[in-house]
PDB file of all heavy atoms in Angstrom:
ATOM      1  N   HIS K 506      -1.811   5.874   7.933  1.00  0.00           N
ATOM      2  CA  HIS K 506      -2.603   5.853   9.205  1.00  0.00           C
ATOM      3  C   HIS K 506      -1.876   5.143  10.340  1.00  0.00           C
ATOM      4  O   HIS K 506      -2.483   4.634  11.252  1.00  0.00           O
ATOM      5  CB  HIS K 506      -3.973   5.215   8.983  1.00  0.00           C
ATOM      6  CG  HIS K 506      -4.772   5.876   7.886  1.00  0.00           C
ATOM      7  ND1 HIS K 506      -5.373   7.109   8.023  1.00  0.00           N
ATOM      8  CD2 HIS K 506      -5.022   5.476   6.608  1.00  0.00           C
ATOM      9  CE1 HIS K 506      -5.995   7.448   6.890  1.00  0.00           C
ATOM     10  NE2 HIS K 506      -5.769   6.452   6.010  1.00  0.00           N
ATOM     11  N   CYS K 507      -0.568   5.132  10.250  1.00  0.00           N
ATOM     12  CA  CYS K 507       0.269   4.592  11.345  1.00  0.00           C
ATOM     13  C   CYS K 507       0.148   5.480  12.565  1.00  0.00           C
ATOM     14  O   CYS K 507       0.305   6.727  12.432  1.00  0.00           O
ATOM     15  CB  CYS K 507       1.728   4.534  10.876  1.00  0.00           C
ATOM     16  SG  CYS K 507       2.904   3.983  12.129  1.00  0.00           S
ATOM     17  N   PRO K 508      -0.194   4.959  13.744  1.00  0.00           N
ATOM     18  CA  PRO K 508      -0.269   5.807  14.921  1.00  0.00           C
ATOM     19  C   PRO K 508       1.085   6.426  15.237  1.00  0.00           C
ATOM     20  O   PRO K 508       2.127   5.764  15.168  1.00  0.00           O
ATOM     21  CB  PRO K 508      -0.641   4.792  16.028  1.00  0.00           C
ATOM     22  CG  PRO K 508      -1.331   3.679  15.291  1.00  0.00           C
ATOM     23  CD  PRO K 508      -0.582   3.545  13.991  1.00  0.00           C
ATOM     24  N   VAL K 509       1.087   7.699  15.580  1.00  0.00           N
ATOM     25  CA  VAL K 509       2.319   8.460  15.840  1.00  0.00           C
ATOM     26  C   VAL K 509       2.201   9.226  17.123  1.00  0.00           C
ATOM     27  O   VAL K 509       1.227   9.922  17.368  1.00  0.00           O
ATOM     28  CB  VAL K 509       2.632   9.422  14.695  1.00  0.00           C
ATOM     29  CG1 VAL K 509       3.921  10.222  14.986  1.00  0.00           C
ATOM     30  CG2 VAL K 509       2.784   8.689  13.338  1.00  0.00           C
ATOM     31  N   LEU K 510       3.230   9.107  17.966  1.00  0.00           N
ATOM     32  CA  LEU K 510       3.329   9.882  19.203  1.00  0.00           C
ATOM     33  C   LEU K 510       4.638  10.662  19.177  1.00  0.00           C
ATOM     34  O   LEU K 510       5.712  10.085  18.958  1.00  0.00           O
ATOM     35  CB  LEU K 510       3.317   8.949  20.432  1.00  0.00           C
ATOM     36  CG  LEU K 510       3.608   9.591  21.798  1.00  0.00           C
ATOM     37  CD1 LEU K 510       2.544  10.620  22.140  1.00  0.00           C
ATOM     38  CD2 LEU K 510       3.718   8.528  22.878  1.00  0.00           C
ATOM     39  N   GLY K 511       4.567  11.986  19.360  1.00  0.00           N
ATOM     40  CA  GLY K 511       5.749  12.815  19.459  1.00  0.00           C
ATOM     41  C   GLY K 511       6.004  13.175  20.905  1.00  0.00           C
ATOM     42  O   GLY K 511       5.108  13.566  21.641  1.00  0.00           O
ATOM     43  N   ILE K 512       7.272  12.964  21.314  1.00  0.00           N
ATOM     44  CA  ILE K 512       7.672  13.276  22.689  1.00  0.00           C
ATOM     45  C   ILE K 512       8.698  14.424  22.687  1.00  0.00           C
ATOM     46  O   ILE K 512       9.725  14.328  22.040  1.00  0.00           O
ATOM     47  CB  ILE K 512       8.304  12.017  23.354  1.00  0.00           C
ATOM     48  CG1 ILE K 512       7.222  10.939  23.571  1.00  0.00           C
ATOM     49  CG2 ILE K 512       8.962  12.386  24.672  1.00  0.00           C
ATOM     50  CD1 ILE K 512       7.765   9.621  24.123  1.00  0.00           C
ATOM     51  N   CYS K 513       8.336  15.518  23.369  1.00  0.00           N
ATOM     52  CA  CYS K 513       9.213  16.686  23.533  1.00  0.00           C
ATOM     53  C   CYS K 513       9.610  17.219  22.135  1.00  0.00           C
ATOM     54  O   CYS K 513       8.774  17.801  21.442  1.00  0.00           O
ATOM     55  CB  CYS K 513      10.438  16.346  24.376  1.00  0.00           C
ATOM     56  SG  CYS K 513      11.272  17.807  25.011  1.00  0.00           S
ATOM     57  N   ARG K 514      10.839  17.044  21.723  1.00  0.00           N
ATOM     58  CA  ARG K 514      11.290  17.444  20.400  1.00  0.00           C
ATOM     59  C   ARG K 514      10.317  16.858  19.324  1.00  0.00           C
ATOM     60  O   ARG K 514      10.023  17.471  18.301  1.00  0.00           O
ATOM     61  CB  ARG K 514      12.682  16.962  20.156  1.00  0.00           C
ATOM     62  CG  ARG K 514      13.116  16.887  18.698  1.00  0.00           C
ATOM     63  CD  ARG K 514      14.332  15.946  18.518  1.00  0.00           C
ATOM     64  NE  ARG K 514      14.467  15.610  17.120  1.00  0.00           N
ATOM     65  CZ  ARG K 514      15.202  16.318  16.272  1.00  0.00           C
ATOM     66  NH1 ARG K 514      15.809  17.398  16.653  1.00  0.00           N
ATOM     67  NH2 ARG K 514      15.282  15.963  14.990  1.00  0.00           N
ATOM     68  N   GLY K 515       9.845  15.631  19.577  1.00  0.00           N
ATOM     69  CA  GLY K 515       8.921  14.955  18.623  1.00  0.00           C
ATOM     70  C   GLY K 515       7.647  15.685  18.399  1.00  0.00           C
ATOM     71  O   GLY K 515       7.143  15.746  17.297  1.00  0.00           O
ATOM     72  N   ALA K 516       7.079  16.265  19.491  1.00  0.00           N
ATOM     73  CA  ALA K 516       5.885  17.071  19.342  1.00  0.00           C
ATOM     74  C   ALA K 516       6.147  18.287  18.477  1.00  0.00           C
ATOM     75  O   ALA K 516       5.354  18.640  17.592  1.00  0.00           O
ATOM     76  CB  ALA K 516       5.378  17.503  20.712  1.00  0.00           C
ATOM     77  N   GLN K 517       7.299  18.904  18.717  1.00  0.00           N
ATOM     78  CA  GLN K 517       7.660  20.109  17.927  1.00  0.00           C
ATOM     79  C   GLN K 517       7.870  19.756  16.451  1.00  0.00           C
ATOM     80  O   GLN K 517       7.445  20.477  15.560  1.00  0.00           O
ATOM     81  CB  GLN K 517       8.956  20.695  18.533  1.00  0.00           C
ATOM     82  CG  GLN K 517       8.841  21.152  19.935  1.00  0.00           C
ATOM     83  CD  GLN K 517      10.184  21.349  20.594  1.00  0.00           C
ATOM     84  OE1 GLN K 517      11.240  21.317  19.967  1.00  0.00           O
ATOM     85  NE2 GLN K 517      10.194  21.505  21.925  1.00  0.00           N
ATOM     86  N   LEU K 518       8.503  18.588  16.188  1.00  0.00           N
ATOM     87  CA  LEU K 518       8.762  18.184  14.812  1.00  0.00           C
ATOM     88  C   LEU K 518       7.463  17.881  14.070  1.00  0.00           C
ATOM     89  O   LEU K 518       7.348  18.241  12.892  1.00  0.00           O
ATOM     90  CB  LEU K 518       9.686  16.988  14.783  1.00  0.00           C
ATOM     91  CG  LEU K 518      10.224  16.754  13.354  1.00  0.00           C
ATOM     92  CD1 LEU K 518      11.622  17.369  13.230  1.00  0.00           C
ATOM     93  CD2 LEU K 518      10.236  15.294  12.985  1.00  0.00           C
TER      94      LEU K 518
END
Side-chain angles (χ1 to χ4, degrees):
H506 304 285
C507 176
V509 179
L510 172 63
I512 292 176
C513 197
R514 161 200 164 89
Q517 299 163 10
L518 193 98

